[in-house]
Amino acid sequence: MGSLENIADHSILHLRTDTLVGKGPHCHLQRAESYVSQNHASISWRGGSWRILDLGSLNGTFINGKRLAAREQTLAPGDRIGLGTPTHFWIVKDVEPPSGRARSLKDGREIVSTGGALHLPSADLPEISVFQDAEESAWVLDGRRIYSGMRVTAGGEKWELELPGRGMVTSGPTSLSLLRAQLKFQVSADFEHVSLTLTEGAQTLTFPTLVTLWPAYLLAEERLRDQGVDAHDQGWIPMERLERKSDMDRRKIDIYVGRLKDTLAREGVADNEHIVEVRRGQRRIGVEPDRITIEVARRDAPARR
């Protein structure tokens, strides 16, 4: 899998399919230096290569001493990546494709796939096995296709999957605006999985089963429930209540929201900051209720709200 080496301490970072770099708590590669921005850059596996994109950082991202322009750049072995300065950098060590992995929600430990197979809770005593279909770049469990962000139970604990391959499903050019699109949340019967489809005219963009969608889904429910309220006050939820509804603390909610906004931005969705709006002590989804649909699967029949 792709990896970077820190030139200062020679530590190795194994790249995720989408690796967010910056100072923020939701970043996979966190740096505390003053010249690093909250959401500084992203490194993603796209089209058979690793690509880096500066996310509008204040001090810029540098590749081999040159400041990165406002576009993606493909990374090669030996490239030097500087965050906010060209003098402190990471070296690209490996540009192999990303591997599947699972993270324990109990203690944070990770298991990485080998040979296109991911065995949980261990390769020695597997209770479940997830396999990659080499032809379709899809991952399957018990004959059904599964996606990154899904959660499974093995060894008496829950695991969150990160599975490289085809993720977002698009139709037409991805120049959608969050404020003009129709949003359709689809929720599994056990409320474990949430997906989101954006539609604007002939264009569609589907985010299949992202765990980071959970706070946005809860806020969408509240926005629909408040349809009779004045638009200015519609859909706002105090953070304490959102924490109870989501069974997350404030930090985790903000991490999920930050990652979701980053995902939307990378897919070219304009006005992505409105997926969750903020005012003092409160959060809401910034999309008008007539543009929101929620579909909850039922074991007997699907229900639409």
Side-chain angles (χ1 to χ4, degrees):
M1 69 181 74
S3 62
L4 309 178
E5 180 183 356
N6 188 328
I7 194 63
D9 59 15
H10 302 290
S11 61
I12 300 295
L13 171 74
H14 294 294
L15 295 172
R16 299 171 178 267
T17 308
D18 293 293
T19 301
L20 184 61
V21 182
K23 194 180 293 183
H26 52 281
C27 293
H28 305 108
L29 172 54
Q30 286 183 276
R31 305 300 301 175
E33 291 87 353
S34 60
Y35 44 78
V36 176
S37 297
Q38 285 288 109
N39 298 317
H40 197 104
S42 66
I43 303 174
S44 304
W45 177 259
R46 297 186 187 281
S49 62
W50 290 101
R51 303 182 185 185
I52 187 168
L53 175 68
D54 184 86
L55 298 176
S57 65
L58 179 63
N59 296 309
T61 300
F62 295 82
I63 306 297
N64 299 325
K66 296 182 179 179
R67 186 162 181 162
L68 188 65
R71 57 180 176 81
E72 285 186 326
Q73 179 168 321
T74 301
L75 293 172
D79 280 349
R80 304 186 307 276
I81 301 173
L83 304 175
T85 172
T87 57
H88 297 89
F89 52 83
W90 295 72
I91 293 178
V92 178
K93 297 292 291 183
D94 192 320
V95 291
E96 289 297 307
S99 299
R101 69 179 78 199
R103 180 178 62 86
S104 169
L105 299 183
K106 179 180 179 181
D107 57 20
R109 73 187 188 282
E110 291 191 338
I111 294 179
V112 178
S113 66
T114 56
L118 183 60
H119 303 290
L120 299 173
S122 71
D124 296 329
L125 296 171
E127 291 184 11
I128 62 173
S129 295
V130 180
F131 298 97
Q132 186 173 28
D133 184 319
E135 291 185 1
E136 296 188 2
S137 297
W139 292 79
V140 293
L141 172 63
D142 296 331
R144 64 185 179 91
R145 185 169 179 174
I146 59 174
Y147 300 94
S148 194
M150 282 188 172
R151 295 178 178 181
V152 296
T153 300
E157 56 187 307
K158 286 196 173 185
W159 301 80
E160 185 173 302
L161 303 177
E162 181 181 325
L163 305 173
R166 289 198 309 222
M168 313 321 171
V169 181
T170 64
S171 173
T174 55
S175 58
L176 293 160
S177 164
L178 190 73
L179 296 180
R180 295 193 304 266
Q182 296 289 327
L183 278 63
K184 181 179 181 180
F185 291 89
Q186 291 180 292
V187 189
S188 63
D190 58 7
F191 289 87
E192 286 287 325
H193 310 299
V194 183
S195 65
L196 172 64
T197 298
L198 307 181
T199 303
E200 184 181 343
Q203 303 174 69
T204 62
L205 180 60
T206 298
F207 298 86
T209 319
L210 294 176
V211 67
T212 52
L213 283 166
W214 186 244
Y217 156 66
L218 295 174
L219 294 172
E221 268 199 329
E222 189 71 14
R223 190 79 193 247
L224 288 177
R225 194 175 292 119
D226 273 3
Q227 286 189 70
V229 177
D230 181 78
H232 178 73
D233 297 318
Q234 198 177 76
W236 290 103
I237 298 182
M239 277 300 297
E240 293 80 5
R241 185 173 155 215
L242 185 56
E243 287 177 301
R244 291 194 302 270
K245 285 172 67 71
S246 64
D247 196 26
M248 301 178 190
D249 60 26
R250 182 181 305 234
R251 179 179 180 274
K252 189 169 186 179
I253 291 171
D254 287 341
I255 288 172
Y256 276 25
V257 170
R259 289 183 179 172
L260 177 57
K261 289 180 178 179
D262 181 60
T263 299
L264 293 170
R266 286 197 306 272
E267 294 302 317
V269 178
D271 306 309
N272 58 78
E273 68 274 14
H274 294 285
I275 190 67
V276 174
E277 295 179 335
V278 179
R279 73 180 185 188
R280 187 166 184 171
Q282 297 179 308
R283 302 289 188 274
R284 79 166 178 182
I285 190 168
V287 179
E288 297 292 332
D290 61 353
R291 295 186 177 276
I292 300 172
T293 302
I294 294 177
E295 188 176 279
V296 181
R298 300 297 185 191
R299 290 182 173 86
D300 49 352
R304 187 185 298 264
R305 289 188 280 165

